[in-house]
Amino acid sequence: MVSSDNMPAAQVRSAKDWVRVLAKYREPSTSRSIFELLVTLVPFALLWGLAWASISVSYWLTLGIAVLNGLFLVRIFCIQHDCGHASFFHSRKVQDWVGRCLGVLTLTPYDVWRRTHSIHHAQHGNLDQRGIGDVMTLTVAEYHARSRLGRLMYRLYRHPLVLFGLAPSYLFLLQNRLPLGLMRAGRRYWISAMGTNAVIAMLLAVMVWLGGLTPVLLIFIPTVVVAATIGVWLFYVQHQFEETHWAGNDAWQLHKAALAGSSHYVLPTPLRWLSANIGIHHVHHLYSRVPFYRLPEILHDHAELAAAQRLTPWESLRSVNLHLWDEKLKRLTSFREARRRYGTAWAASRV
């Protein structure tokens, strides 16, 4: 992986300079956006119908098709994500309603998610503004200052079985049902959450009426859980890597945090397509108004960005063992390494 501190070519331009360069890629193509929507929704619907038809053949076949369709649901979420950034269509009204409709499929209230995600973009990498839209990350000092129970709870939170096992299902099946984080921000977010919930409930009722609980258990839930798990993993590795960037208010700068604190997740072509180029996350954070289908064009035109913050799937597995931000070393570290490096000082401070 190439860290932001070892990329002299990429630093010919500052992060702010890159914003001006990327501005020329911001215009979406209506025909291209419609095409991307169709080549995502049509296979998703066909696979859903095929899974339903296969119930009478084999439950295992149904489950397998549902798992495959979870990949298309990831792409649907990524298109919803572009709508939230106003990068998918020229008309804000059109893309907002497209986003709301897709939010029913992804179980994500569009207006609630758009607001919390905008907070994530505005505050990412700021140690003094953590809390909404981020994977909770403590500094070494903060972890040490916690009680024994507090440290245990944080360890449980960061455990892979929780982060990538329980958390995705909880987030999409339960947490998204309420506008958490915006409970007192106005009725707009309640309307978004409750409206989405109502449509989901009606669709589930139709499914049960037509096929009983079997389609819900073998198609709906597996498709959502697979997509949610992949989505949480992608979000995690986009920001939780060793040479990521965090800083306090005094040193934090929006564009620097966007470039240095977001990875370039280099995926195989099929997975890159299914994830709608979301792995080109450092560019996305620098200029979120660029449509996802124009991100490869940027890497083609600017080799510096193509080489920046590269993270391969194999390298990304190491990020699971990174839990704490080391403010002295300016990198994420593991519990074990933090204990080895600072254990004596911690013990001394408790005497």
Side-chain angles (χ1 to χ4, degrees):
M1 179 171 59
V2 182
S3 77
S4 59
D5 296 326
N6 296 308
M7 298 183 302
Q11 294 186 11
V12 171
R13 293 187 176 99
S14 69
K16 284 187 176 181
D17 290 335
W18 277 118
V19 172
R20 289 189 286 271
V21 171
L22 298 179
K24 70 177 184 178
Y25 297 91
R26 64 176 285 174
E27 292 301 319
S29 163
T30 300
S31 59
R32 177 67 184 273
S33 293
I34 293 173
F35 171 79
E36 295 291 349
L37 197 57
L38 289 175
V39 298
T40 305
L41 289 177
V42 171
F44 177 79
L46 291 175
L47 285 171
W48 189 282
L50 184 61
W52 194 300
S54 71
I55 290 176
S56 60
V57 178
S58 167
Y59 284 175
W60 287 110
L61 178 59
T62 303
L63 185 61
I65 297 172
V67 168
L68 174 62
N69 214 14
L71 298 174
F72 281 91
L73 189 56
V74 170
R75 199 169 202 268
I76 290 172
F77 185 91
C78 291
I79 293 176
Q80 176 188 335
H81 169 265
D82 262 28
C83 290
H85 284 294
S87 64
F88 203 63
F89 289 113
H90 291 283
S91 168
R92 186 65 195 242
K93 181 178 289 187
V94 169
Q95 60 193 347
D96 280 349
W97 278 106
V98 169
R100 291 182 183 114
C101 292
L102 298 181
V104 173
L105 299 178
T106 64
L107 309 190
T108 306
Y110 173 76
D111 293 282
V112 177
W113 173 85
R114 185 179 65 179
R115 176 58 181 155
T116 57
H117 191 66
S118 69
I119 294 172
H120 162 70
H121 269 258
Q123 300 177 352
H124 169 66
N126 190 327
L127 286 171
D128 298 313
Q129 299 293 334
R130 287 168 287 172
I132 294 181
D134 293 314
V135 174
M136 182 170 61
T137 306
L138 297 181
T139 67
V140 172
E142 288 169 340
Y143 174 75
H144 167 58
R146 284 194 164 197
S147 65
R148 181 172 297 179
L149 177 60
R151 292 196 299 273
L152 175 61
M153 295 302 295
Y154 182 70
R155 279 179 171 270
L156 288 174
Y157 170 83
R158 298 287 299 208
H159 195 281
L161 290 178
V162 175
L163 269 181
F164 311 116
L166 299 177
S169 297
Y170 167 77
L171 174 62
F172 284 89
L173 292 173
L174 296 177
Q175 181 175 306
N176 279 351
R177 309 284 61 83
L178 291 173
L180 297 182
L182 301 173
M183 301 284 279
R184 299 182 180 180
R187 65 179 183 178
R188 175 182 184 180
Y189 302 110
W190 282 97
I191 292 172
S192 175
M194 296 303 109
T196 302
N197 292 344
V199 178
I200 293 170
M202 286 188 290
L203 292 177
L204 286 173
V206 171
M207 288 182 65
V208 172
W209 179 58
L210 292 175
L213 286 175
T214 303
V216 176
L217 297 176
L218 291 182
I219 304 175
F220 175 78
I221 291 178
T223 300
V224 170
V225 170
V226 168
T229 303
I230 294 172
V232 168
W233 171 256
L234 288 172
F235 183 79
Y236 181 87
V237 299
Q238 285 158 4
H239 301 294
Q240 298 281 319
F241 55 99
E242 189 171 5
E243 298 91 0
T244 191
H245 178 83
W246 288 89
N249 275 333
D250 294 341
W252 183 82
Q253 199 281 323
L254 175 65
H255 302 106
K256 181 179 179 181
L259 177 60
S262 306
S263 67
H264 173 197
Y265 199 31
V266 186
L267 294 169
T269 300
L271 296 182
R272 191 165 62 245
W273 186 87
L274 286 164
S275 60
N277 300 317
I278 198 67
I280 309 176
H281 212 63
H282 60 320
V283 177
H284 166 68
H285 258 260
L286 269 177
Y287 209 98
S288 61
R289 291 291 299 274
V290 176
F292 76 83
Y293 48 77
R294 299 201 67 181
L295 292 173
E297 183 182 348
I298 292 172
L299 297 189
H300 178 269
D301 293 346
H302 303 285
E304 307 98 314
L305 290 175
Q309 302 295 84
R310 290 174 65 88
L311 184 69
T312 68
W314 179 254
E315 290 169 333
S316 71
L317 296 177
R318 291 187 62 248
S319 68
V320 174
N321 294 319
L322 302 175
H323 315 104
L324 301 165
W325 176 249
D326 191 319
E327 292 186 276
K328 293 182 179 179
L329 299 180
K330 303 298 181 185
R331 62 181 177 86
L332 282 178
T333 189
S334 66
F335 292 124
R336 178 178 296 179
E337 185 176 348
R339 183 169 61 250
R340 179 183 61 80
R341 183 177 295 275
Y342 302 108
T344 301
W346 287 1
S349 68
R350 290 181 178 274
V351 175

